[in-house]
Amino acid sequence: MSLPPEKASELKQLIQQQLSKMDVHGRIREILAETIREELAPDQQHLSTEDLIKALRRRGIIDDVMKELNFVTDSVEQELSASPKQPASFDKQSTLKKTNIDPTRRYLYLQVLGGKAFLEHLQEPEPLPGQICSTFTLCLHYRNQRFRSKPVPCACEPDFHDGFLLEVHRENLGDGTRMADSTTMLSISDPIHMVLIKTDIFGTESKVSVGILNIKFEMYPPLNQTLSQEVVNTQLALERQKTAEKERLFLVYAKQWWREYLQIRPSHNSRLVKIFAQDENGINRPVCSYVKPLRAGRLLDTPRQAARFVNVLGYERAPVIGGGGKQEQWCTLLAFLCRNKGDCEDHANLLCSLLLGYGLEAFVCVGTKAKGVPHAWVMTCGTDGTVTFWESLTGHRYIHKPTNPDEPPLAEPPKPLHPYRTVGCVFNHQMFLGNCQPSDAVENCVFDLNDESKWKPMSEEAIKSVCAPGATTSLPPFPPLCASTVDASVTSNEIEMQLRLLVSEHRKDLGLTTVWEDQLSYLLSPALASYEFERTTSISAGNEEFQDAIRRAVPDGHTFKGFPIHFVYRNARRAFATCLRSPFCEEIICCRGDQVRLAVRVRVFTYPESACAVWIMFACKYRSVL
């Protein structure tokens, strides 16, 4: 690979500096004089280049220079990749032990040098060495690159010292063989999206914190020609003006659309038609901007597996401050993935994005479920007209079969299988449609989205003007999914050993001895695998083999009891406390009788973003004395 002229001259200068530092020229002169004096005949005072090279190699001068140059190369590479001594921090799908710098690319080195004004931790004392405490973790996303900082203890002034190497020049911008110059850099308006996550002592609660971070940026390699501040300010002002004008025009259009929607039927005012939603930063954004076709690469293979992944992400309602009803807050995708939990709207937006990535016609539905509770779920429309509802919080799927309100009512109308009561609007990244049918009850609705007498559409051009990728500088881009960093086998073993210890201690407190049977524990594995397979595919398989194995393992006259339970977290003590609240599980753990043998099996199934489905099965066998 040929170096650019400026790089070649820079390399020559480094070599020249090293030669001067080692006084190589002086040593060559000494060896030259010594060789002429000692090795050449008096009548032969001419020394060829080859003779000199041999003399230098024999005395180890060339080896010394090459070693020093290798050392310099490493230090130069380290200097270019990160000016401080801290290495660049990466959280990509494959952990990079060493940062490879492409000399044809331009990089932005972002350093986080501490923080301040995290006032919720103002009164907290500094943690002692080795003490477990709540931590802050900074998550970044820039142009399909994701990074995560090392956790630091929570404090009013957290001690962040991390660096991230962001590649600025990408192939889809201009000529991929040329380095981005200052003019190209000026035209790049992609934001760096940062989310600071606070995780508590138990690793269970995580939320977005508020404070100030000290950030330092460095460009590598430095720009040969820098732009004046006036030019940069003018470009930023133009971008802000362009974004503000697009958002203003869309707001004017949305108000006009809403007035027209209310004129169809006054009762529409009470329907859940949500055009804008507030994100975690308090910014009102069109709901269509929360959805975008998202490809999972090799991480998820099927739409149903994608639904299972979204299902195992934790559910948490948006916090309500003061009185009133449900707090309306939707999360950006990065904040949702970094927290690993969110509200029903966050789950529905992610599932819809994944289903769109799989080529399905998917929409987010906004409406209510039982007792009029606001809710969001996903709908797919098949090419044959089949409408399928996907519940993002459970992974369940329901086929929608509308009832005809003109038909005579049945004596006992069939109870709908799905939990949804009303639907006010549906949307995806390109379309927004308000339900203008006489009844917004889901069981009566016809989901023919092309029929404008039933669904009032928004202009797709208007939606595209503010929601298309790159349409405005205010929209945070969609991050790619990251592979799990959890080792399923190791984590399964750790949780299982902790549960054994907890069960033994609990039985000891009750005055009971504990005898574990490893073979019986092992036989529980197929059942757990079968349960997860059924959750993912809705197909039951392998139950016959499991039952046959258990019958063979339990002698005549003995009784077997088993209790499976499912969690989406990896805290063994918390899971054990939950299991004890079940009378069936408590009966197994506290089993009394003759020849009691206990078994427990844990199986952790990993998904992207380190989300996990944890299956636990407690079992016992004992001799029946009745």
Side-chain angles (χ1 to χ4, degrees), residues 318-336:
V320 177
I321 300 173
K326 181 177 182 289
Q327 177 77 11
E328 281 292 345
Q329 177 185 298
W330 294 19
C331 277
T332 58
L333 182 57
L334 182 65
F336 178 39

Side-chain angles (χ1 to χ4, degrees), residues 10 37 74 202 224 417 475 569 580 603 606:
E10 186 180 343
R37 186 174 58 252
D74 284 343
F202 305 105
N224 296 327
L417 299 175
L475 291 181
Y569 52 81
L580 284 178
R603 182 74 167 84
T606 58

Side-chain angles (χ1 to χ4, degrees), residues 254-330:
K255 288 181 177 179
Q256 177 63 28
W257 183 93
W258 177 247
R259 283 193 293 268
E260 293 172 359
Y261 181 71
L262 293 182
Q263 288 172 6
I264 297 172
R265 200 173 286 107
S267 61
H268 285 179
N269 192 39
S270 61
R271 295 189 178 183
L272 278 178
V273 179
K274 194 163 186 61
I275 304 172
F276 294 92
Q278 194 175 93
D279 66 14
E280 70 271 13
N281 298 314
I283 299 173
N284 278 311
R285 296 167 43 199
V287 292
C288 295
S289 68
Y290 288 88
V291 174
K292 175 192 168 186
L294 181 63
R295 290 167 57 176
R298 306 282 184 185
L299 302 179
L300 297 167
D301 295 322
T302 67
R304 296 193 186 190
Q305 192 179 15
R308 177 59 173 157
F309 157 59
V310 176
N311 160 221
V312 298
L313 290 170
Y315 168 64
E316 179 184 72
R317 293 189 62 180
V320 177
I321 300 173
K326 181 177 182 289
Q327 177 77 11
E328 281 292 345
Q329 177 185 298
W330 294 19

Side-chain angles (χ1 to χ4, degrees), residues 55 91 98 188 201 247 267 288 318 320 379 395 430 439 463 473 487 509 549 556 562 595-597:
D91 180 22
K98 186 175 180 182
I188 298 175
I201 297 174
E247 292 174 347
S267 61
C288 295
V320 177
M379 171 186 74
Q430 294 176 328
S439 170
I463 294 171
T473 56
D487 188 313
D509 292 342
D556 291 341
Q595 299 180 23
V596 174
R597 298 291 182 269

Side-chain angles (χ1 to χ4, degrees), residues 32-215:
L32 181 60
E34 183 182 338
T35 303
I36 292 174
R37 186 174 58 252
E38 295 179 0
E39 300 184 10
L40 296 181
D43 58 340
Q44 184 188 355
Q45 293 297 308
H46 178 70
L47 186 68
S48 68
T49 303
E50 187 177 347
D51 293 332
L52 179 59
I53 294 294
K54 286 180 181 178
L56 291 174
R57 186 173 285 117
R58 191 163 59 247
R59 285 166 174 77
I61 300 298
I62 290 180
D63 289 341
D64 289 345
V65 172
M66 295 307 294
K67 286 178 184 175
E68 290 295 325
L69 284 176
N70 281 337
F71 173 77
V72 169
T73 304
D74 284 343
S75 66
V76 169
E77 184 176 330
Q78 191 175 3
E79 233 175 81
L80 297 175
S81 65
S83 53
K85 293 181 181 178
Q86 300 255 350
S89 175
F90 286 82
D91 180 22
K92 291 194 175 182
Q93 291 186 8
S94 59
T95 304
L96 302 177
K97 293 184 178 179
K98 186 175 180 182
T99 306
N100 295 314
I101 302 297
D102 185 344
T104 65
R105 300 290 183 195
R106 198 173 293 284
Y107 296 89
L108 189 65
Y109 186 64
L110 185 154
Q111 298 173 71
V112 187
L113 305 173
K116 57 186 178 182
F118 288 85
L119 301 179
E120 61 180 316
H121 302 284
L122 187 61
Q123 303 297 329
E124 290 186 9
E126 288 192 13
L128 299 172
Q131 179 184 354
I132 299 175
C133 61
S134 300
T135 58
F136 283 143
T137 306
L138 183 65
C139 304
L140 286 88
H141 170 232
Y142 179 68
R143 308 186 85 182
N144 233 31
Q145 305 163 77
R146 286 182 62 183
F147 307 86
R148 181 183 289 265
S149 73
K150 296 184 290 289
V152 300
C154 292
C156 184
E157 297 185 356
D159 188 26
F160 279 106
H161 284 286
D162 246 317
F164 309 95
L165 199 63
L166 283 58
E167 185 179 333
V168 179
H169 187 227
R170 306 290 286 181
E171 284 78 1
N172 59 354
L173 282 175
D175 188 353
T177 61
R178 294 173 55 192
M179 185 180 292
D181 56 15
S182 55
T183 307
T184 306
M185 294 286 296
L186 189 65
S187 66
I188 298 175
S189 59
D190 301 60
I192 299 173
H193 192 187
M194 295 187 283
V195 176
L196 187 69
I197 300 297
K198 175 188 172 183
T199 307
D200 71 1
I201 297 174
F202 305 105
T204 54
E205 294 299 321
S206 59
K207 63 178 184 178
V208 178
S209 290
V210 179
I212 299 172
L213 292 177
N214 297 320
I215 305 283

